[in-house]
Amino acid sequence: MMDFEMRSSDSEGYDESDEELQEAFARGDLKPGLNIELVKEKIDVNDIPRILAKHEEIELKLPWIERLDMYNDLAPLAPELALQLERHEQKRANQFKGNAKIPYVRPEEDPVLNDFKREMLFHRQAQAAVVEGIRRLHELNIPTKRPDDYFAEMAKTDEHMQKVRANLMAKEQGQAKSERIRQIREQRKMGKMLAKQTKVQREMEKKEMLDQLKKFRKGKLKNLDFLEDTKANAKASAASKKKSAAKRKARDQHYGFGGKKRGLKRNTKASSAGLERNTKGLLGNKGGRKGGAAAKRPGKARRQKNKAKAKGK
Amino acid sequence: MENSPLESVRSSDATINKKAKWKNRQRVLVFAARGINHRDRHLMRDLKTLMPHHRSESKMERTKTLSVVNEMCEMKHCNKALLFEGRRKKDLYMWAACAPSGPSVKFLVENAHTMGELKMAGNCLRGSRPLLSFDMQFKKIPHLNLIKEILTQTLGVPNHHPKSQPFFDHVYTFTYLDDRIWFRNFQILSEDGGLSEIGPRFVLNPIKIFEESFTGKCLWQNSSYVSPTRQRQEIKKAMKDRYVNRMEQKVLKESNPVKNAYKFNENDDIFETSDAIKKAKEYADNSISKQDKQRKERKNQMKQKLKKKKAK
């Protein structure tokens, strides 16, 4: 694709140099391997007096209201923004810690590469601009707000804004969903831990009771009161009963309880596709081992070796 | 309006004679050269919706020289021009120029996001005047100051422009960071600093400032500027080196195979046969006979040495 030329007369200059090269080639001065393409080094041009003169020439010398330009520093960090920033920084630090592939960037240089921090910078500048600009406009007695009954064409259409809103909603819902899933996962983890604890406790109690029984047999204890105080045990057994009852119920629902038995065990279209039921409660842990692969039979060579070893001993 | 305290809301019935007060008459010719990318075209369209003082023009042919733009501006009664120039359907350059005699700047536009993106949730009136906020760097550095003046005159909406709205509901920020100018457009939700981004957003990487419009002496040049094509080329070259390195290492590894990867017990093959004890005995005999041989050899050597000494 061709580029624009600054001026049409420029092209003639290139032609001349080309001709020179052609002549040199005809003479035999140019040989392969002798010529290295020189990279034109970029010169730093900064003609300050001329720049200032040009600025003076084009500057609009009109009151501020015609221009609305301002120089702004950053606005002070709002507390909620600060909180967000802190959270983000923590996240970023974790990222660097957790993933060696992300090249580490020092926090001072971070703003260019860190989207969140950078956008925060612009946001704060805009905040400062709003506060100052609105103040200046009010000083000039110019109303800034739009009345509620003023309708005019907007930069984005209503249709587009509807899309934006739907997108926002979808995002929020997704977030809520992931949050809920995380909570459930945590609950499950807690449940497992509790189960482990109760198991240990039950074993302890059993051991204690047996000890006391032994003592009673040997005649060290005279009464059997310790046998009555087993409320915890009763509760635990009730819970396990409940669980097994649920399993029973699932089985009953699937295999039937009472009534006719004919044809119930036959496969249907849905059952053969595995769509019909939740096999979780029914089958227990049969379907596929989870932790680790099954112990495999060793290969022939190894088996023989082992055999020989066994004989040798 | 005269009674104080000031009413911040203007009544919707109030009419203002705009044309009489319209002093700052900027007209900007916003157009593109042929070969522009669709995203960049949308960016240009967004800018047009935000600038009620723009004039449009059909795409410019690449065969024409840039100085033609000045004539175009004259024909369209424009005193400013924004020209978008796409290269290779990838890179976008933007020229901002003051038409008859003023300076012109060439930017590389990077990281452009259009107003159509759904993450930009703000909205503003079409044609309302933006507040223009510049970073403090624009005050200190001369060439940035010049760029600021050009941007103010092109992107700022003139007061009392017939197509403009008399309310202030958005703000442009120009921030100088990493040798580039970052542009953002925020909606003013509340006047104490509640904001929401409208878009578009882009980064301007200034390349050159010329004294005249599209011609003239170069006033300033960015020496650290590397064209995107060159950048891509360098990345590719680096990739090439990586490939060559990997192949070299592979060849080297193949030519020097590892000699002793694992220390074997040399008696291990005893167990590979069915009667290990027999094999073991064989081995033991072998090793004993070997030792005997070695002893005999040593003795012979000693004898020979002694003979030599005696001979001397």
Side-chain angles (χ1 to χ4, degrees):
Chain A
M1 195 174 282
M2 64 173 296
D3 292 343
F4 285 116
E5 279 154 19
M6 293 294 290
R7 258 174 300 180
S8 47
S9 59
D10 273 358
S11 53
E12 287 162 23
Y14 289 121
D15 285 345
E16 276 169 27
S17 66
D18 274 355
E19 264 169 34
E20 258 172 46
L21 277 177
Q22 281 165 3
E23 278 166 20
F25 185 70
R27 265 179 277 135
D29 288 350
L30 292 177
K31 273 170 195 163
L34 281 177
N35 312 298
I36 305 160
E37 193 189 359
L38 280 177
V39 181
K40 212 163 99 187
E41 208 157 285
K42 280 204 170 165
I43 325 146
D44 225 349
V45 182
N46 194 2
D47 197 345
I48 292 176
R50 272 176 187 252
I51 289 175
L52 290 179
K54 206 74 202 172
H55 182 262
E56 188 65 23
E57 188 188 315
I58 64 160
E59 197 182 9
L60 272 183
K61 282 164 188 113
L62 289 171
W64 179 77
I65 184 63
E66 303 286 339
R67 296 166 51 91
L68 294 180
D69 61 329
M70 285 171 281
Y71 293 111
N72 290 110
D73 256 339
L74 304 183
L77 201 56
E80 68 264 19
L81 287 186
L83 196 72
Q84 246 180 315
L85 196 68
E86 205 176 289
R87 213 175 290 155
H88 179 79
E89 257 168 16
Q90 188 59 44
K91 203 173 150 194
R92 185 87 175 154
N94 285 344
Q95 265 180 354
F96 282 137
K97 225 185 276 169
N99 193 347
K101 276 180 190 167
I102 301 173
Y104 181 73
V105 190
R106 270 182 289 140
E108 310 92 69
E109 287 172 6
D110 217 11
V112 178
L113 301 172
N114 187 336
D115 287 345
F116 184 81
K117 256 188 169 173
R118 189 177 358 100
E119 293 309 317
M120 199 66 95
L121 220 73
F122 305 144
H123 196 271
R124 280 167 66 195
Q125 189 188 330
Q127 277 182 330
V130 168
V131 171
E132 199 200 326
I134 297 293
R135 183 181 56 76
R136 278 208 210 176
L137 287 168
H138 283 182
E139 272 171 16
L140 293 169
N141 275 351
I142 295 167
T144 51
K145 269 188 197 158
R146 180 157 64 108
D148 294 331
D149 58 344
Y150 185 95
F151 294 108
E153 195 181 0
M154 305 292 278
K156 291 179 186 172
T157 58
D158 283 349
E159 202 182 336
H160 181 79
M161 289 312 283
Q162 217 83 48
K163 261 191 214 166
V164 169
R165 233 162 275 142
N167 185 41
L168 271 180
M169 285 279 281
K171 233 180 226 171
E172 257 169 38
Q173 274 174 354
Q175 242 166 16
K177 202 176 169 187
S178 73
E179 180 75 12
R180 211 170 54 227
I181 287 171
R182 216 186 58 207
Q183 266 180 3
I184 288 170
R185 204 180 295 140
E186 250 159 43
Q187 272 175 5
R188 204 173 289 158
K189 219 181 254 174
M190 280 293 287
K192 261 185 191 168
M193 219 158 71
L194 273 178
K196 211 183 267 177
Q197 270 179 2
T198 50
K199 201 181 169 189
V200 168
Q201 205 182 348
R202 214 171 291 152
E203 267 167 18
M204 289 269 286
E205 272 169 12
K206 196 179 170 186
K207 200 180 167 193
E208 210 170 294
M209 202 186 71
L210 285 176
D211 275 355
Q212 269 167 333
L213 249 174
K214 217 181 251 176
K215 275 180 190 171
F216 176 76
R217 266 191 212 147
K218 283 179 181 174
K220 277 180 188 171
L221 284 175
K222 296 212 166 158
N223 50 354
L224 281 166
D225 288 349
F226 58 87
L227 285 176
E228 285 166 19
D229 191 21
T230 50
K231 264 185 197 169
N233 284 352
K235 234 184 210 173
S237 69
S240 72
K241 260 181 201 168
K242 216 180 190 177
K243 201 178 177 185
S244 68
K247 200 173 172 185
R248 180 73 259 159
K249 214 175 170 185
R251 276 161 187 258
D252 283 346
Q253 203 184 359
H254 179 243
Y255 297 116
F257 181 71
K260 67 164 186 178
K261 304 276 189 293
R262 264 173 293 125
L264 270 174
K265 287 184 182 176
R266 273 196 180 169
N267 271 346
T268 59
K269 201 177 183 183
S271 75
S272 69
L275 296 170
E276 202 178 39
R277 62 198 166 115
N278 182 11
T279 53
K280 214 175 178 183
L282 291 169
L283 296 175
N285 245 352
K286 267 179 196 166
R289 259 167 210 264
K290 267 185 186 171
K296 263 186 194 165
R297 189 182 190 208
K300 190 165 186 180
R302 208 190 281 174
R303 263 186 287 135
Q304 272 179 347
K305 209 184 249 183
N306 284 344
K307 214 174 176 184
K309 257 184 197 172
K311 264 192 185 174
K313 276 171 194 172
Chain B
M1 272 217 263
E2 282 134 26
N3 53 351
S4 60
L6 172 73
E7 284 176 58
S8 67
V9 177
R10 186 202 299 266
S11 78
S12 51
D13 303 331
T15 52
I16 17 169
N17 184 9
K18 281 175 182 169
K19 220 164 188 181
K21 296 180 186 173
W22 182 21
K23 267 189 270 176
N24 178 18
R25 302 209 171 194
Q26 304 287 347
R27 287 191 200 87
V28 186
L29 189 68
V30 182
F31 69 118
R34 235 170 241 300
I36 196 174
N37 183 348
H38 68 281
R39 268 178 75 89
D40 303 339
R41 181 161 42 79
H42 282 270
L43 179 73
M44 189 177 76
R45 195 197 55 195
D46 289 346
L47 281 180
K48 277 183 186 173
T49 54
L50 293 171
M51 294 161 66
H53 57 299
H54 82 271
R55 292 290 147 92
S56 44
E57 172 66 76
S58 52
K59 279 180 188 161
M60 188 175 141
E61 294 299 335
R62 292 188 144 268
T63 50
K64 286 174 184 166
T65 52
L66 277 174
S67 48
V68 174
V69 179
N70 291 330
E71 289 160 33
M72 284 177 170
C73 286
E74 206 183 319
M75 288 209 293
K76 288 259 178 182
H77 304 288
C78 291
N79 58 352
K80 297 280 174 323
L82 271 186
L83 171 64
F84 290 87
E85 190 191 332
R87 298 247 176 101
R88 291 161 200 278
K89 295 271 181 190
K90 267 180 198 164
D91 317 317
L92 180 70
Y93 292 86
M94 187 178 94
W95 283 88
C98 303
S101 62
S104 54
V105 199
K106 191 185 182 188
F107 299 105
L108 172 70
V109 182
E110 296 170 321
N111 280 349
H113 295 254
T114 61
M115 214 152 71
E117 274 175 35
L118 292 178
K119 67 180 171 190
M120 318 258 197
N123 200 357
C124 64
L125 283 172
R126 197 180 186 131
S128 64
R129 302 185 63 208
L131 298 172
L132 307 172
S133 162
F134 290 88
D135 191 3
M136 278 301 179
Q137 302 278 346
F138 284 88
K139 205 177 200 172
K140 291 169 199 160
I141 305 170
H143 77 266
L144 283 182
N145 205 351
L146 186 63
I147 288 175
K148 181 217 153 205
E149 190 60 38
I150 295 169
L151 288 175
T152 327
Q153 291 184 23
T154 46
L155 294 176
V157 177
N159 198 10
H160 296 300
H161 187 279
K163 283 183 193 165
S164 72
Q165 299 284 352
F167 309 107
F168 299 88
D169 60 353
H170 64 139
V171 50
Y172 292 167
T173 64
F174 299 89
T175 313
Y176 190 67
L177 191 70
D178 193 29
D179 297 333
R180 277 149 242 251
I181 300 164
W182 302 67
F183 172 91
R184 293 290 182 274
N185 178 16
F186 291 102
Q187 181 191 1
I188 302 172
L189 291 173
S190 65
E191 296 191 340
D192 56 351
L195 299 169
S196 159
E197 192 170 350
I198 303 170
R201 53 159 82 162
F202 50 83
V203 182
L204 296 175
N205 189 358
I207 301 168
K208 257 186 182 183
I209 303 177
F210 296 97
E211 200 168 19
E212 307 294 317
S213 102
F214 297 103
T215 54
K217 208 185 154 221
C218 173
L219 292 180
W220 176 84
Q221 185 177 2
N222 187 355
S223 59
S224 65
Y225 166 74
V226 181
S227 80
T229 318
R230 163 90 346 120
Q231 237 167 16
R232 284 192 289 266
Q233 217 175 45
E234 268 161 20
I235 288 168
K236 262 189 193 167
K237 270 184 191 166
M239 296 255 279
K240 178 209 82 181
D241 282 353
R242 217 172 62 180
Y243 175 74
V244 168
N245 275 344
R246 206 171 59 215
M247 292 328 268
E248 270 176 3
Q249 276 181 355
K250 238 182 190 173
V251 168
L252 209 71
K253 203 179 171 188
E254 272 169 14
S255 62
N256 298 327
V258 187
K259 274 159 195 161
N260 291 322
Y262 182 74
K263 268 190 180 174
F264 283 103
N265 187 354
E266 49 179 31
N267 296 333
D268 244 3
D269 52 337
I270 290 173
F271 300 109
E272 275 175 9
T273 51
S274 52
D275 43 353
I277 297 169
K278 202 177 171 185
K279 190 91 183 177
K281 270 179 186 169
E282 262 175 41
Y283 268 108
D285 290 345
N286 274 350
S287 68
I288 287 165
S289 61
K290 245 187 206 173
Q291 280 173 2
D292 283 348
K293 265 185 195 172
Q294 279 173 356
R295 253 179 233 154
K296 275 175 190 172
E297 270 176 28
R298 252 181 254 151
K299 269 184 186 173
N300 282 342
Q301 279 174 359
M302 291 290 277
K303 273 177 190 173
Q304 279 174 353
K305 273 183 188 173
L306 282 172
K307 271 180 191 173
K308 274 181 190 172
K309 268 188 184 176
K310 275 177 187 174
K312 276 177 187 177

